[in-house]
Amino acid sequence: MIDHLGIQVADPEAGAVFYDAVLATLGHRRMLQYGPVIGYGSDHPQFWISPSETGDPARESHVAFAAADRAMVGAFFAAAVAAGAEVLHEPRVWPEYHEHYYGAFVRDPDGNNVEAVSHAPA
């Protein structure tokens, strides 16, 4: 349904350090950059960060990135923690979503709830 998604960040440099690290664990990379606007993906940029231009505090967003398996969720979580992310939920099965939903949740430098999730059986 979604072709691409962009979020605003207060500090594009800090955001880039975080997303460079965590998205690499899921097989994505920084693909395009126009000044402080950065696009990440594997085939084409699907996730973008750009500086906040409104001057207002940003509202929390939730972004869930697909992981091929549980090991990738763990790698995402480890990279996020190493980058200084606040831990919201360590990797685990979330049976209330479905029996194979395995996810980890952290806060990015701007307070967004960022998740890696695998839907594959263990």
Side-chain angles (χ1 to χ4, degrees), residues 36-96:
V37 178
I38 301 169
Y40 294 89
S42 52
D43 296 326
H44 67 279
Q46 295 175 284
F47 177 73
W48 293 83
I49 62 171
S50 62
S52 177
E53 297 176 355
T54 64
D56 296 326
R59 292 185 170 165
E60 177 183 344
S61 295
H62 174 65
V63 180
F65 293 104
D69 56 34
R70 293 178 180 196
M72 287 181 101
V73 172
F76 163 91
F77 182 77
V81 170
E86 174 189 351
V87 174
L88 297 176
H89 301 287
E90 294 190 15
R92 70 173 179 90
V93 174
W94 295 83
E96 59 269 37

